[in-house]
Amino acid sequence: MKKKMIQILCIFTVAACLFTEKVMAQDTAYHRTDIVSDRAISIYKEALGNMNMPNADYAVHLSLNTSMGNFAVTDDIKCQKSPLLAKSVLTGQSITADKQSQPIFNITQYMQLVNNEEQIYYMLKDDNKKKQQWYVKRQQLDPELKKLLGATDFDYAQQMRDTINAVDAINIDKETDNGQILRVKFDNKKLFDSNKILKDSNAVFSGIPMTDRAGTIKMVRNMLDSLGNSRDIVSTMLIDKTTHRIVSVDSDITEQLKAVIRVVLSSTPELKAQSASMAMVPMSAALSTRQPKNNTGLGNGAGDINGIMDSSSVDDFINSLQAHLTITIKPLDDVMQLAVPQEVRNTAVEVKPENLINQSGLNNK
């Protein structure tokens, strides 16, 4: 079960990053009603145009307050556009009443393209081991996905035009010596338009076997539709006065996280049943990282269930949840950080893509 809960957090972290990318890829169309709004539009448009950087460092921080305790999920994502390289360090912690942190999980991942092959190296840190085990997944890159990953400046501009109406309102909340603070309200139905986002779904999900792809796409579509029906997101953005770029995005995403978790649980009923049983134990113990149970490094969670409670405990957990997302963005200072270390290359155990899907528990059967 502990790995199942990690998957939910990982999925939402990815969704949060997707949201941030969309926020920074918006052009804007407004009913211009006053001078302040006009200036805000001008500042925002200029900042968006400057976000098409050759590399970037995204620091994602998700804070969670729940009936089962307080938690923090962070993801340090470093990436380069060409050649495409990326590194991610995803961590989870429980926060005690006296503000002390207890590690829950730590996942490091490298991604690179070698000719037409996508290579993903990853490691789920096990505190019980002195030497950590790395895994690698290799697969041929779908031509359409390669085209998407190699987006040009023209593609970036087209993306801005395609999502021109995603912002509902904007104003300058405050000005400081460092920059302007914009308050932006998004129309969620436009921001999470599943038809637009999934128009290249077969390319995006090409790494998933055909037998599982339809179920995965269906779940993602349901997730996007649920996000679209959630309360509109209001974000605070800091625009740097020197670089004229967006350097931070701050949002209350409580309703969005609830929507995502409900879709994931409804897509995998056995996960909700397992989640209910976990409500009897402290979350820090439930999610603590242990030795992987299989050769993918993911575990299957089957041995974690000691009994099934009424699933209302899961609903209580979701209803109590409060979530806040902060993302800071800056240029990457050293692209060599993205190179896969030679020791990782030499020791990584290869995992077939279908094994990852079969162990994830997120595909519809």
Side-chain angles (χ1 to χ4, degrees):
M1 175 53 213
K2 50 183 173 287
K3 303 302 187 302
K4 302 290 187 181
M5 295 301 293
I6 290 173
Q7 287 165 347
I8 294 176
L9 296 174
C10 292
I11 287 173
F12 191 77
T13 303
V14 172
C17 296
L18 173 62
F19 158 69
T20 305
E21 180 182 345
K22 288 178 66 59
V23 166
M24 294 184 297
Q26 308 294 322
D27 203 333
T28 48
Y30 306 95
H31 300 292
R32 301 190 175 188
T33 57
D34 54 57
I35 295 175
V36 173
S37 293
D38 279 351
R39 183 158 178 251
I41 294 169
S42 177
I43 293 171
Y44 189 40
K45 282 187 173 181
E46 182 182 17
L48 292 173
N50 292 332
M51 294 308 295
N52 189 19
M53 300 181 289
N55 57 64
D57 187 344
Y58 299 87
V60 182
H61 181 86
L62 176 63
S63 61
L64 305 171
N65 297 330
T66 78
S67 58
M68 295 172 64
N70 299 332
F71 310 93
V73 179
T74 62
D75 199 357
D76 182 12
I77 305 169
K78 296 177 172 65
C79 57
Q80 174 181 276
K81 286 176 61 176
S82 181
L84 185 60
L85 297 169
K87 179 183 179 181
S88 165
V89 180
L90 177 67
T91 62
Q93 298 176 322
S94 62
I95 312 298
T96 63
D98 58 353
K99 307 299 183 183
Q100 298 298 311
S101 61
Q102 177 67 37
I104 300 174
F105 61 88
N106 186 315
I107 303 170
T108 301
Q109 177 176 277
Y110 292 91
M111 193 274 281
Q112 63 181 13
L113 293 183
V114 179
N115 297 322
N116 287 326
E117 184 179 70
E118 178 187 40
Q119 300 177 354
I120 298 177
Y121 293 82
Y122 66 95
M123 179 267 293
L124 176 62
K125 186 177 181 182
D126 185 347
D127 291 331
N128 295 326
K129 291 184 176 180
K130 291 183 178 180
K131 186 175 180 61
Q132 303 299 319
Q133 180 62 64
W134 283 86
Y135 301 87
V136 60
K137 182 190 75 169
R138 296 184 176 92
Q139 65 182 34
Q140 290 299 307
L141 198 64
D142 182 278
E144 290 302 312
L145 179 56
K146 185 176 182 180
K147 180 180 178 182
L148 290 176
L149 293 174
T152 64
D153 292 345
F154 176 82
D155 295 322
Y156 183 81
Q158 184 64 47
Q159 183 184 15
M160 291 172 63
R161 288 191 293 270
D162 288 343
T163 56
I164 194 168
N165 290 320
V167 174
D168 184 60
I170 184 172
N171 60 69
I172 300 176
D173 195 43
K174 185 180 179 181
E175 293 204 48
T176 70
D177 293 339
N178 296 324
Q180 298 90 6
I181 298 176
L182 303 183
R183 185 175 176 83
V184 186
K185 180 183 177 183
F186 293 92
D187 182 334
N188 280 8
K189 288 190 179 297
K190 296 176 181 178
L191 185 66
F192 298 108
D193 186 335
S194 59
N195 290 326
K196 285 186 178 180
I197 295 174
L198 294 177
K199 64 183 178 68
D200 298 306
S201 57
N202 281 325
V204 173
F205 295 101
S206 59
I208 297 177
M210 288 299 297
T211 54
D212 301 301
R213 192 177 302 175
T216 301
I217 293 174
K218 179 181 178 181
M219 186 182 72
V220 173
R221 183 177 295 279
N222 290 340
M223 188 183 298
L224 291 169
D225 291 342
S226 185
L227 287 169
N229 291 325
S230 64
R231 186 175 59 198
D232 287 342
I233 292 176
V234 178
S235 294
T236 300
M237 301 184 190
L238 174 61
I239 312 299
D240 184 78
K241 276 188 176 179
T242 302
T243 63
H244 303 281
R245 290 174 176 158
I246 300 171
V247 293
S248 70
V249 180
D250 193 83
S251 308
D252 183 328
I253 56 167
T254 297
E255 296 306 315
Q256 286 68 46
L257 182 53
K258 289 179 180 180
V260 168
I261 292 177
R262 287 189 175 112
V263 169
V264 172
L265 293 178
S266 65
S267 299
T268 53
E270 72 280 6
L271 179 55
K272 184 168 184 178
Q274 293 177 358
S275 300
S277 70
M278 295 310 299
M280 291 298 290
V281 297
M283 183 68 90
S284 58
L287 296 181
S288 60
T289 301
R290 295 291 184 262
Q291 182 174 345
K293 293 182 174 64
N294 58 57
N295 63 0
T296 68
L298 293 178
N300 56 33
D304 296 327
I305 308 306
N306 297 317
I308 302 299
M309 288 178 52
D310 190 292
S311 62
S312 61
S313 57
V314 178
D315 295 329
D316 291 341
F317 166 77
I318 295 175
N319 291 333
S320 72
L321 187 147
Q322 293 181 315
H324 199 93
L325 179 69
T326 301
I327 303 177
T328 58
I329 310 104
K330 63 181 180 181
L332 187 60
D333 55 5
D334 181 12
V335 296
M336 292 305 296
Q337 300 176 62
L338 307 181
V340 181
Q342 190 62 48
E343 183 180 2
V344 172
R345 296 173 184 269
N346 293 342
T347 62
V349 175
E350 185 163 2
V351 177
K352 299 300 181 182
E354 59 269 21
N355 290 342
L356 288 172
I357 298 301
N358 292 336
Q359 292 296 334
S360 72
L362 294 180
N363 54 309
N364 284 340
K365 299 244 181 228

